[in-house]
Amino acid sequence: MNKTVNPKDLTSDDDVGPLYAARKKVYPQSVQGTFRRIKWGLMAFCLGVYYFLPFVRWNRGLGAPSQAVLIDLPNSRFYFFFIELWPQEVYYFTGLLIVAAVALFLMNSVGGRIWCGYLCPQTVWTDLFYAVERLIEGDRRERMKKDASTDPMKLERISEIVLKHSIWLLIAWWTGGAWVLYFNDAPTLVKELVTFQAPMIAYVWIGILTATTYVLAGYMREQVCTYMCPWPRIQAALTDEWALNVTYRYDRGEKRTSVKKAAELRALGEQVGDCVDCYQCVAVCPTGIDIRNGPQLECIQCGLCIDACDNVMAKIGRQKRLIGYDNDINIQRRQEGKAPIYRIVRPRTIAYSAIIAAVGGIMIYVLATRTLLDINVLHDRNPVAIKLSDGSIRNAYTARLLNKSGHDRVIAIDIDGPANATIHVVGADSVTPDRPMIVIPRDSTSELRLLVTAPAESNPEKSIPVHFHVTDIGLGEAASTIDNFVAP
Amino acid sequence: MTDHSEIDSVTGRATTGHEWDGIKELNTPLPRWWVICFYLTIVWSIGYWIVYPAWPLISSNTTGLFGYSSRADVAVELANLEKIRGDKMAALGAASLADIEKDPALLALARAKGKTVFGDNCAPCHGSGAAGAKGFPNLNDDDWLWGGTLDQIMQTIQFGARSGHAKTHEGQMLAFGKDGVLKPDEIVTVANYVRSLSGLSTRKGYDPAKGEKIFADNCVACHGDGGKGNQELGAPNLTDKIWLYGSDEATLIETISQGRAGVMPAWEGRLDPSTIKAMAVYVHSLGGGK
Ligand code: SF4
Ligand code: SF4
């Protein structure tokens, strides 16, 4: 039977079995317990934040949007409570992405797929859709019976189905609707949406997100986690022997048998485990697997099987947590009769926490020291330096002045470079002796051409630094930058 | 199933019968929806091939069903751009040179437009950054043969210098040696005199009085008293630190012997008036403008 096949002999004819398999529908049963409560709580929190955040107001003064969280695409601005980001500041998002990725690693090294089981949008919405389904069509057994039934459809059944899909679509539509509110003033957009005055693109996006929510949470469900999401594969490579994963403690569970039989066998002095083979853990599993087969790719570690088994154990008076969050090392140790050990603080978690703290710290520092006035200067490359008729040397620069504040500013530009050097700004609005001034409208950038001239006698031998200072005449707010002054 | 497959004892699943180094492949069929999606993408791509221009032919390509072409798209975009720019360029054409420099928006537009047009038309002689070269003036500095005010720059661009245009700048450096006006030793003497005007060193044994006399007799008419130059005639200022052809003695002797008559083409007729205006503003804003 166990015939070895030489790869060279293989032809396509050797492929056997079906090319594809129909999906086996999963009918998770409802369950109560610690982890289910945590999941309800987190679901309420996540959905609450997602649906209502756009309506939170934030006063930024006249002319500025008063929405706490707003992605203003037409004006290329991002508002997050007291923070306003410009396109030049995308590095904050880079920082955020780094923190998010490392936080995922950290979660993973502490408690396995906490993200998958409790926080992932796919999990949250699927859970919500299951709740609706259960409310209308009943629990696992009822649903299975109804789906398997070959009776002609009764009005009651049809109305059930219609009701379920209507509620699903309603949730999906609200999900898509909330999405677009992040891109526009929410109350205004809601008004426009209901009066059909909103831009086409808003309706298109609501349509797309309604469809994806409905299909992914209503139909695809665990298939998304198993076949579409890359994280299970990545996670498998990131986990280690200390990570707490949902685990069936087979050292305690085997061999499985009924309560009655177990008592009999025990009396005979045979080794039996605590698992009574009731399949409750399988019945509640939203991905339809049997955790007792060991760690599996499909397991999103939602902890529902822990609750299910705990309930069984409580009923038959055995110790809880036959299934629990545990690590690989303890399975080994318990088999050897040693006490389990848990270690959350270890090099890996310290490293991840340090990275998060470092990147987060840098971001907070940069944010805290960020000015609403800024200047960037670029030295002209062609020509680098110009000799003037009186022998003095001039360097030209392209400057970008940023006024991120909500009011127009009068800005003076000073330099600090070669001795007696003067600055000229092409198109300056006014010039007091050697001090060009320029008006920058609120919330905008101005590109300026700066000419710095050093008299012949102070011509530098080599390139020397030159500082550019910009000062708001009214408020005194200042910014500066540095470049070089070179002789030909 | 053929006899290649077996049931894996650990998972209870069928294997495909493939085995390498003792590792057997479980038969895990793809989900049906996945396979359907895969086939749909194939169907979609075939549709795409037919609907859009795709297949290369010998000298062209299939044009697709709806006559779509990315080239036509670009043409439409460009036309739109022209339309948007049309108004702005009209505003540029209507404003006076001085007004353009005072209006930040117009200045930015003129500089941007001027820069590209300069790159296309002027860079071959003046360099892409307008830094010039030997015989071709650096437009960033403050030494202007024909004047560096906005109006003067514009005029030079429009009509050129020695370009043959009716309104062109005229005036040239005569060939004093070739035409036999000055003898070789006189040329050496006056060359040294010219160097002394801008504080450069002179050759040993050179007679300043003789140099001044030769200069007064032959050069003052164009270069003016003391060699300060004359922008009417495009005669350079000989007392400053900037030299179009070079300030060493050999170059000066060559200049005086052979004469100089660089040509700047007239751009009127080749570029439209508002473009010339933009270019004048651009050149002026390079920093050397008066
Ligand atoms: S095996 Fe348990 S933890 Fe894993 S997905 Fe199923 S119910 Fe959740
Ligand atoms: S719920 Fe607990 S007792 Fe029941 S089958 Fe699962 S592991 Fe065994």
Side-chain angles (χ1 to χ4, degrees):
Chain A
M1 191 177 149
N2 191 357
K3 203 180 98 187
T4 314
V5 181
N6 184 341
K8 283 201 203 99
D9 300 337
L10 281 176
T11 67
S12 60
D13 291 344
D14 286 321
D15 292 331
V16 289
L19 180 58
Y20 57 76
R23 175 189 176 206
K24 282 197 202 70
K25 198 171 172 192
V26 183
Y27 296 87
Q29 194 177 326
S30 67
V31 62
Q32 266 141 29
T34 316
F35 296 99
R36 182 64 263 186
R37 273 196 297 278
I38 296 175
K39 268 175 81 76
W40 285 135
L42 286 173
M43 183 208 274
F45 175 74
C46 294
L47 293 178
V49 168
Y50 176 74
Y51 288 130
F52 296 111
L53 193 56
F55 294 98
V56 177
R57 303 286 95 188
W58 195 266
N59 187 7
R60 293 193 181 84
L62 221 73
S66 56
Q67 184 155 323
V69 179
L70 178 69
I71 303 156
D72 188 356
L73 287 181
N75 299 310
S76 316
R77 296 284 183 274
F78 173 67
Y79 300 93
F80 186 85
F81 294 95
F82 59 94
I83 303 169
E84 177 191 336
L85 295 184
W86 282 38
Q88 299 72 345
E89 294 165 311
V90 289
Y91 48 78
Y92 286 111
F93 292 100
T94 316
L96 223 54
L97 285 178
I98 295 173
V99 169
V102 182
L104 209 53
F105 298 168
L106 178 64
M107 278 188 195
N108 194 54
S109 61
V110 172
R113 291 165 67 180
I114 302 176
W115 168 261
C116 300
Y118 300 90
L119 296 167
C120 174
Q122 174 63 22
T123 293
V124 170
W125 265 279
T126 302
D127 217 18
L128 180 66
F129 274 46
Y130 267 135
V132 171
E133 191 169 70
R134 205 173 287 130
L135 193 75
I136 294 165
E137 297 190 343
D139 213 344
R140 176 179 159 89
R141 265 170 216 289
E142 269 180 87
R143 295 207 304 275
M144 288 172 98
K145 217 162 69 204
K146 282 175 183 167
D147 274 3
S149 158
T150 45
D151 284 350
M153 289 261 191
K154 293 207 190 68
L155 188 64
E156 202 184 339
R157 176 71 182 137
I158 293 172
S159 55
E160 247 177 35
I161 294 174
V162 170
L163 183 61
K164 177 179 86 173
H165 287 277
S166 313
I167 297 180
W168 277 2
L169 280 168
L170 204 70
I171 297 172
W173 167 78
W174 194 11
T175 305
W179 174 261
V180 299
L181 297 184
Y182 284 91
F183 296 85
N184 225 312
D185 186 59
T188 318
L189 186 60
V190 169
K191 215 179 294 160
E192 286 174 355
L193 282 171
V194 294
T195 53
F196 297 101
Q197 308 280 311
M200 195 57 206
I201 186 80
Y203 293 104
V204 169
W205 271 107
I206 293 176
I208 291 173
L209 276 131
T210 305
T212 51
T213 310
Y214 177 69
V215 171
L216 291 182
Y219 292 95
M220 301 294 292
R221 300 181 164 181
E222 81 287 347
Q223 304 248 308
V224 175
C225 313
T226 311
Y227 297 107
M228 291 164 75
C229 177
W231 184 238
R233 281 91 183 158
I234 301 168
Q235 186 271 345
L238 279 171
T239 193
D240 66 1
E241 70 275 23
W242 291 104
L244 292 171
N245 290 314
V246 174
T247 311
Y248 166 68
R249 290 163 171 157
Y250 60 87
D251 55 288
R252 219 191 104 187
E254 303 298 311
K255 148 179 162 220
R256 312 164 188 171
T257 181
S258 72
V259 185
K260 220 168 105 199
K261 198 107 175 280
E264 285 167 14
L265 286 172
R266 278 214 184 88
L268 293 171
E270 269 194 56
Q271 154 72 38
V272 278
D274 283 343
C275 175
V276 292
D277 222 359
C278 63
Y279 277 89
Q280 280 305 298
C281 50
V282 180
V284 299
C285 177
T287 67
I289 55 164
D290 187 344
I291 190 65
R292 296 173 303 165
N293 292 340
Q296 288 149 77
L297 174 103
E298 291 90 339
C299 175
I300 55 168
Q301 298 183 11
C302 61
L304 293 183
C305 52
I306 306 181
D307 283 342
C309 189
D310 277 359
N311 293 342
V312 174
M313 292 296 124
K315 236 174 268 163
I316 61 173
R318 288 185 186 156
Q319 210 194 334
K320 283 186 172 186
R321 295 296 142 88
L322 172 54
I323 304 175
Y325 277 95
D326 207 347
N327 60 36
D328 293 355
I329 286 177
N330 286 337
I331 300 211
Q332 192 70 35
R333 284 179 68 90
R334 264 194 258 95
Q335 259 170 338
E336 292 162 4
K338 294 182 200 153
I341 41 172
Y342 299 95
R343 197 166 290 162
I344 290 188
V345 183
R346 45 184 212 275
R348 190 187 275 253
T349 53
I350 293 172
Y352 290 150
S353 310
I355 295 173
I356 294 173
V359 177
I362 292 170
M363 281 171 64
I364 290 171
Y365 174 77
V366 176
L367 256 177
T369 55
R370 166 180 187 270
T371 54
L372 294 179
L373 176 68
D374 209 354
I375 178 172
N376 299 316
V377 164
L378 201 69
H379 195 290
D380 272 16
R381 295 270 162 264
N382 178 18
V384 177
I386 303 139
K387 192 177 194 180
L388 298 185
S389 54
D390 62 356
S392 52
I393 302 296
R394 196 172 61 207
N395 281 199
Y397 305 83
T398 303
R400 242 172 195 292
L401 253 67
L402 283 70
N403 176 7
K404 299 178 194 169
S405 73
H407 45 84
D408 300 356
R409 290 170 184 264
V410 183
I411 303 291
I413 305 173
D414 305 291
I415 50 158
D416 185 3
N420 300 320
T422 54
I423 179 162
H424 171 71
V425 178
V426 175
D429 293 310
S430 73
V431 182
T432 55
D434 288 346
R435 205 172 191 217
M437 313 245 188
I438 187 110
V439 177
I440 318 179
R442 67 187 187 86
D443 209 27
S444 70
T445 44
S446 295
E447 199 180 276
L448 303 173
R449 189 169 156 79
L450 310 180
L451 306 171
V452 174
T453 310
E457 60 281 7
S458 61
N459 279 351
E461 287 291 310
K462 48 180 177 37
S463 106
I464 63 163
V466 46
H467 299 260
F468 296 86
H469 307 290
V470 284
T471 317
D472 181 322
I473 305 269
L475 300 171
E477 194 176 348
S480 50
T481 186
I482 186 169
D483 208 303
N484 287 315
F485 187 92
V486 286
Chain B
M1 291 208 181
T2 72
D3 61 347
H4 292 319
S5 69
E6 55 166 312
I7 302 298
D8 173 61
S9 59
V10 182
T11 58
R13 300 239 293 265
T15 69
T16 58
H18 301 171
E19 177 180 337
W20 289 273
D21 297 335
I23 298 170
K24 289 174 202 160
E25 186 182 22
L26 288 184
N27 183 11
T28 311
L30 294 165
R32 186 165 50 195
W33 61 264
W34 195 101
V35 178
I36 292 171
C37 286
F38 177 61
Y39 288 145
L40 282 178
T41 59
I42 296 175
V43 173
W44 174 265
S45 70
I46 292 170
Y48 215 89
W49 270 344
I50 296 167
V51 170
Y52 282 92
W55 292 94
L57 305 175
I58 290 170
S59 58
S60 64
N61 55 280
T62 56
T63 52
L65 288 186
F66 304 139
Y68 167 86
S69 109
S70 50
R71 209 169 276 250
D73 256 16
V74 172
V76 170
E77 299 262 322
L78 281 178
N80 281 340
L81 206 64
E82 284 299 311
K83 227 165 61 207
I84 296 167
R85 287 205 183 135
D87 302 343
K88 294 187 172 174
M89 287 307 284
L92 204 65
S96 77
L97 282 167
D99 287 345
I100 295 172
E101 285 219 328
K102 273 190 217 110
D103 179 333
L106 281 180
L107 176 64
L109 174 68
R111 277 185 50 79
K113 174 87 184 170
K115 195 177 164 118
T116 38
V117 179
F118 187 92
D120 291 346
N121 298 285
C122 318
C125 293
H126 291 284
S128 58
K134 188 172 175 178
F136 301 99
N138 180 347
L139 305 177
N140 291 280
D141 65 28
D142 60 345
D143 193 23
W144 295 90
L145 292 173
W146 307 98
T149 65
L150 266 172
D151 291 321
Q152 286 169 326
I153 292 173
M154 172 125 161
Q155 195 190 353
T156 306
I157 297 172
Q158 262 180 309
F159 309 127
R162 308 172 194 102
S163 65
H165 189 284
K167 293 189 194 164
T168 191
H169 290 307
E170 288 296 359
Q172 53 182 310
M173 173 76 188
L174 302 175
F176 289 92
K178 210 165 82 184
D179 297 347
V181 181
L182 293 173
K183 287 195 273 300
D185 65 310
E186 290 175 320
I187 290 175
V188 173
T189 306
V190 79
N192 276 280
Y193 176 74
V194 166
R195 274 174 64 80
S196 76
L197 286 177
S198 52
L200 296 168
S201 65
T202 49
R203 165 201 287 245
K204 245 204 254 138
Y206 134 84
D207 180 353
K210 201 171 148 205
E212 190 176 354
K213 169 122 188 25
I214 300 168
F215 190 84
D217 291 347
N218 299 282
C219 315
V220 164
C222 293
H223 290 283
D225 274 342
K228 293 268 190 239
N230 182 351
Q231 291 182 345
E232 289 288 302
L233 301 167
N237 180 350
L238 303 177
T239 66
D240 66 17
K241 302 279 191 287
I242 297 171
W243 296 85
L244 187 52
Y245 291 91
S247 62
D248 57 300
E249 193 191 58
T251 306
L252 280 172
I253 290 171
E254 187 192 329
T255 302
I256 298 164
S257 307
Q258 308 293 330
R260 300 284 185 190
V263 171
M264 155 91 180
W267 294 95
E268 195 189 51
R270 284 197 255 184
L271 298 174
D272 66 82
S274 57
T275 303
I276 290 180
K277 223 178 210 177
M279 222 149 62
V281 171
Y282 169 69
V283 170
H284 188 250
S285 75
L286 286 173
K290 298 273 159 80

